[in-house]
């Protein structure tokens, strides 16, 4: 039986090049649309980190699950709603699209799993989840940049890795880091989302 993935007979280099170009263009279209996801999560995380800061300093009642559980529910609920309304043309097995969307799914699921299990087992460590999430988001941005050709996204990846490095070197991890994370969410998620959304609208 012939492996279709390795069967190149009957195709010429021009057809292969056209296929690759089509894959990459589809990836660019998808990432432009997905700017809305960066805006969504950037806004939600900025609000959550700031509320957590107020909670830690007793400006509002102390709570963690009471802040983050609704954020996760709202975020994933809106993601599900967006997916349901997504036009069929963007639902594709295109490798560039899959790489982009899968990398961000990994960020969300890994963070959610750690948060849920650590809270349930009373092993939650704010420094660990900061380092984990910052590293994953940096990696996801790098993948998105690589598969779409949007080069400046690599600087956003470097920004998240700088947050990772800063958090790692802190010997005293206090509530002020929550403000750093709030600012990082606004600058490294929401802002890139608006820029990408604007680029997409310009190209339409």
């Amino acid at each position: 039986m012939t492996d279709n993935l390795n069967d190149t007979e009957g195709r010429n280099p021009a057809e292969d090049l056209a296929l690759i170009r089509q894959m990459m263009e589809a990836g660019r279209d998808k990432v432009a649309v997905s700017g809305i996801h960066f805006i969504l999560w950037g806004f939600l995380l900025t609000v959550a980190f700031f509320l957590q800061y107020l909670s830690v300093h007793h400006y509002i009642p102390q709570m963690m699950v009471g802040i983050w559980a609704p954020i996760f529910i709202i975020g994933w609920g809106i993601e599900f709603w967006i997916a349901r309304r997504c036009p069929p043309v963007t639902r594709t097995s295109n490798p560039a699209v899959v790489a982009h969307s899968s990398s961000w799914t990994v960020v969300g699921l890994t963070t959610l799993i750690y948060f849920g299990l650590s809270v349930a087992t009373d092993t939650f460590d704010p420094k660990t989840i900061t380092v984990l999430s910052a590293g994953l988001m940096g990696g996801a941005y790098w993948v998105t940049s690589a598969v779409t050709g949007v080069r400046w996204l690599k600087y956003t990846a470097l920004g998240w890795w700088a947050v990772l490095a800063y958090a790692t070197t802190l010997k005293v991890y206090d509530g002020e880091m929550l403000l750093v994370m709030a600012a990082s969410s606004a600058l490294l998620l929401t802002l890139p989302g608006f820029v990408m959304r604007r680029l997409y609208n310009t190209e339409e």
Side-chain angles (χ1 to χ4, degrees):
M1 182 179 294
T2 301
D3 186 350
N4 292 331
L5 293 177
N6 295 323
D7 183 12
T8 58
E9 293 183 5
R11 294 209 319 257
N12 58 52
E15 290 175 333
D16 290 336
L17 182 60
L19 177 61
I20 293 172
R21 183 179 294 112
Q22 182 181 11
M23 289 164 50
M24 296 308 296
E25 287 301 324
R28 290 187 178 90
D29 290 341
K30 178 66 175 181
V31 91
V33 173
S34 68
I36 193 66
H37 302 286
F38 296 150
I39 295 171
L40 168 66
W41 286 105
F43 174 76
L44 290 176
L45 292 177
T46 300
V47 170
F49 281 120
F50 186 68
L51 289 177
Q52 191 67 54
Y53 171 81
L54 295 179
S55 177
V56 167
H57 290 280
H58 309 289
Y59 292 111
I60 62 175
Q62 284 194 306
M63 53 183 172
M64 182 173 68
V65 176
I67 292 173
W68 288 98
I71 290 295
F72 286 133
I73 292 172
I74 292 170
W76 284 101
I78 294 177
E79 288 283 4
F80 178 77
W81 178 78
I82 292 174
R84 295 280 293 178
R85 290 177 59 87
C86 182
V89 70
T90 62
R91 293 177 182 170
T92 175
S93 59
N94 180 292
V97 173
V98 173
H100 159 67
S101 60
S102 296
S103 63
W104 286 99
T105 299
V106 167
V107 175
L109 289 179
T110 303
T111 305
L112 183 61
I113 291 170
Y114 173 80
F115 179 82
L117 290 178
S118 62
V119 169
T121 57
D122 197 27
T123 57
F124 179 80
D125 177 36
K127 183 173 182 176
T128 297
I129 197 170
T130 298
V131 171
L132 179 67
S133 60
L136 287 171
M137 283 193 281
Y141 266 122
W142 195 272
V143 170
T144 297
S145 176
V147 299
T148 62
V150 183
R151 295 182 180 180
W152 60 265
L153 285 176
K154 289 187 177 181
Y155 294 105
T156 309
L158 294 176
W160 279 113
W161 288 332
V163 173
L164 179 155
Y166 175 70
T168 300
T169 59
L170 288 178
K171 294 183 178 179
V172 178
Y173 195 91
D174 55 24
E176 306 307 312
M177 187 63 193
L178 293 167
L179 290 181
V180 174
M181 291 303 294
S184 298
S185 298
L187 294 175
L188 300 176
L189 271 175
T190 308
L191 182 58
F194 277 118
V195 174
M196 293 171 67
R197 189 65 183 167
R198 182 176 179 181
L199 290 174
Y200 172 74
N201 290 334
T202 302
E203 293 175 357
E204 284 186 332

